Amino acid sequence: MKLLTNIASVATVLSRWTIMVALLSFAADIAWAQQNRVLVPSGSFHSVMPEVEGEAVKVNTFYLDVTAVTNEKFEKFLDQNKNWQPNEVPAVFTNKGYLKHWKEEGQRPDYEDVGRERPVTNVSWFAANAYCQWAGGRLPTLNEWEYSAQLMDFDSSTEINEFTTKLVSWYSSVDTKNIGEVGSTGIKTRVGVKDQFGLIMEWVEDFKPPVADELSLDCGTVGRMQQLGNAYSYAASIRYITRMSYNPRSSTSMIGFRCAYDDIDSKFKLEEEEL
Amino acid sequence: MNISKITLSFLIGLLFTGLANFAYAQTEEYKLDGMTFGMPEAEVFTEDYDGPPVVGEYLTMLPNLKPLDYEGNKHHEVRIDIVAQEIEVADGVKYKAWTFGGTVPGPVLHVKEGDKITFVMKNRSDEEVTITEPTKEGSPFMQQVAENNFMKAQPGTMPMPHSMDFHAGTVAKDDKWRSISPGESIKFDWVANYPGSYIYHCGTPSVLMHTAMGQHGVVVVSPKDGYGTDYEVDKEFVVVQSEYYLKKGAGDLYQYDFEAAQSVNPSHVVFNGHQTILHDQPLEANAGDRVRLHVSNNGPSGTSSFHVIGAIFDRVWLEGHPFNEMRGMQTVLLGASSSATIDFIVPEEGKYILIDHEFADAEKGATGTLKAGPRK
């Protein structure tokens, strides 16, 4: 009886310990969340999409990851979601490029080669979506992403033009074999979102909006997207058009993603449900 | 709640995937004026293919033109894959080109009026593809690049969606010329209904950027009844004019200069993709020869006033159509994407300079040499 009690008491201690650890890791997760996502306040911006001519697009407050999802974070997701591992994932959700740069046995990332803190690429839209759902968020909408990207401070139009020119050059010369770590571009919005330019291209939720069919990616599309004469518009048009040309199974060495959240506690809530 | 959100997103995604299947109606082949129209719907698919990026019997590297050695019409099976390639376009000027088949311009395809072409293209812009290793499944083009790698081509990656627009084809662009993602392939048929020389280029916006980055080439469609002077022609070449808009990047490589491209202020204007190749490797003939040039101005934006110093064009077929015959021309004006088939008689031993007589372009590189030996 005593023994049993002892066992019971050990079990209780163990179980309490487990809960403590769980709570601690839970707190760590919340800290992680708060550290890695920032509030993007509501506002409006001029989209280069021609569907609502001249009208600013309103965007509600949301939270956005400071940086793109890294190889290490994506590996953690795969550990807990084996159905998204390269040899498990159904072909309908990816093409053959899916995580093709993770060459180590069992298709794990060889961090010597791909880097822990480099953005994960070669992930399909489906996979990006699944990750963000798992992380308690979602992919940012196209408007959220572009609105956030415009929250940049420049001192002069010359500075804007120089920035845009560099950006367009980047689209023609990105070296996908040597992508930098997240946060390494030095490009940051006024609320602290990093690397929306110059590192990778990123999936958004509605990357192929309904108007894509109407535009049909004609030669005139670029012209229509430059009607605002905005310094961003040429580079933006390349982003919109390139995104529209992909399909949700596309996995290339240039596309990664970051997640958006409707409220800061979404990660907390998700884990609470699981507990 | 979460499950239903996930499912909804995935369904929307699956709808995107399937959208292409509903967007285009199947068409049926029909004849008009002896020409064939109405090709079947293009097929977009993924394949494990990692073979030679250029496959087909009648594909050659500039300035060569593989002569047609068949009677009547032929059904060609042609592959030109999209590959990124680091190439040199002038002394010390290297950039990561977006290419058809690995060179700028891409391979020359030679067919005959009325031929059908089944074309396959894989977007391999996210793969490192070596173009200097010919295999027997490849084309003469691959052999020629291996033997004469003047662009110093090296494999690279630069994933982007791309498409193919053959000016020689008469089809609906939103089907056959549609953009495909890296890793995808497209297959479609077209018929060379009209004789002449026609450019091909990528049609994915920004078309200016894609073409300037190197995605263009030429199809020569020989007229079924030939040109009037065919029996007198001693030498036949293809010359392609195009512009680059490049500026020095952060490292050794040059990059696309979009401001220069938008204001049509090229850094280099070239024949056959390289600033000095047609001087380093001149076209060769002999005094008294009748030389035929298929000259195409692939742009993307400039015009060409094509002239040969010391010669007068005996016959000019605008766009290469045998009905468009002109005689005794000093200069042929070619707008962007225009071409001409030109015959001239090489008068005597010596050098003849091929030139864009818009001299600002000539001084950016649009010149070449025809070297003539003694009369035989």
Side-chain angles (χ1 to χ4, degrees), chain A residues 31-264:
Chain A
W32 178 85
Q34 284 167 344
Q35 215 173 22
N36 289 280
R37 60 188 74 161
V38 291
L39 179 81
V40 183
S42 64
S44 63
F45 78 113
H46 284 281
S47 167
V48 298
M49 290 291 276
E51 74 260 66
V52 191
E53 276 182 40
E55 270 185 42
V57 179
K58 287 190 180 121
V59 177
N60 290 330
T61 299
F62 64 102
Y63 294 87
L64 191 61
D65 282 341
V66 168
T67 62
V69 173
T70 60
N71 281 312
E72 191 173 31
K73 284 181 184 166
F74 201 77
E75 191 192 15
K76 192 178 167 195
F77 162 68
L78 291 196
D79 285 342
Q80 294 180 31
N81 297 274
K82 300 214 181 317
N83 53 330
W84 284 99
Q85 290 180 354
N87 42 10
E88 296 290 330
V89 64
V92 70
F93 291 142
T94 65
N95 66 15
K96 292 198 166 68
Y98 181 63
L99 295 176
K100 70 174 180 186
H101 61 316
W102 286 15
K103 285 173 186 148
E104 202 153 89
E105 204 174 329
Q107 289 173 293
R108 309 306 289 175
D110 173 358
Y111 287 123
E112 292 271 308
D113 191 32
V114 303
R116 280 177 195 282
E117 291 299 314
R118 287 193 204 149
V120 66
T121 56
N122 293 315
V123 283
S124 67
W125 178 87
F126 287 111
N129 229 302
Y131 176 97
C132 288
Q133 302 278 0
W134 168 78
R138 55 181 173 75
L139 282 174
T141 65
L142 188 152
N143 282 339
E144 284 170 343
W145 196 99
E146 290 291 335
Y147 163 69
S148 166
Q150 283 201 16
L151 296 177
M152 300 265 288
D153 293 315
F154 292 105
D155 289 335
S156 65
S157 57
T158 313
E159 213 176 274
I160 295 175
N161 285 335
E162 277 171 11
F163 177 77
T164 309
T165 302
K166 273 188 198 159
L167 179 56
V168 177
S169 298
W170 175 81
Y171 284 119
S172 75
S173 61
V174 57
D175 181 0
T176 54
K177 279 205 302 185
N178 294 298
I179 292 177
E181 294 191 346
V182 296
S184 66
T185 61
I187 298 168
K188 193 174 170 182
T189 71
R190 72 175 72 116
V191 298
V193 178
K194 294 177 182 171
D195 315 322
Q196 282 194 271
F197 305 106
L199 194 63
I200 48 167
M201 297 187 96
E202 295 179 16
W203 285 116
V204 295
E205 190 177 64
D206 46 347
F207 69 94
K208 200 178 277 208
V211 73
D213 267 357
E214 197 186 314
L215 293 171
S216 74
L217 297 176
D218 278 326
C219 303
T221 308
V222 175
R224 290 170 73 172
M225 286 184 168
Q226 290 196 83
Q227 60 192 336
L228 298 167
N230 184 318
Y232 280 116
S233 66
Y234 190 87
S237 69
I238 294 175
R239 275 201 303 282
Y240 277 84
I241 290 161
T242 305
R243 279 190 292 238
M244 281 191 261
S245 300
Y246 284 117
N247 72 58
R249 293 171 65 231
S250 301
S251 307
T252 86
S253 55
M254 198 167 170
I255 309 184
F257 67 100
R258 72 182 75 212
C259 309
Y261 312 85
D262 292 316
D263 68 70
I264 197 77

Side-chain angles (χ1 to χ4, degrees), chain B residues 221-258:
Chain B
V221 185
S222 285
K224 61 179 187 292
D225 299 323
Y227 300 98
T229 57
D230 280 359
Y231 67 99
E232 297 169 348
V233 173
D234 299 293
K235 301 275 174 153
E236 191 166 0
F237 303 107
V238 180
V239 174
V240 175
Q241 180 168 330
S242 64
E243 318 104 54
Y244 293 108
Y245 302 89
L246 297 171
K247 63 177 175 188
K248 193 81 183 353
D252 292 339
L253 291 183
Y254 281 67
Q255 299 179 351
Y256 178 64
D257 181 347
F258 96 100

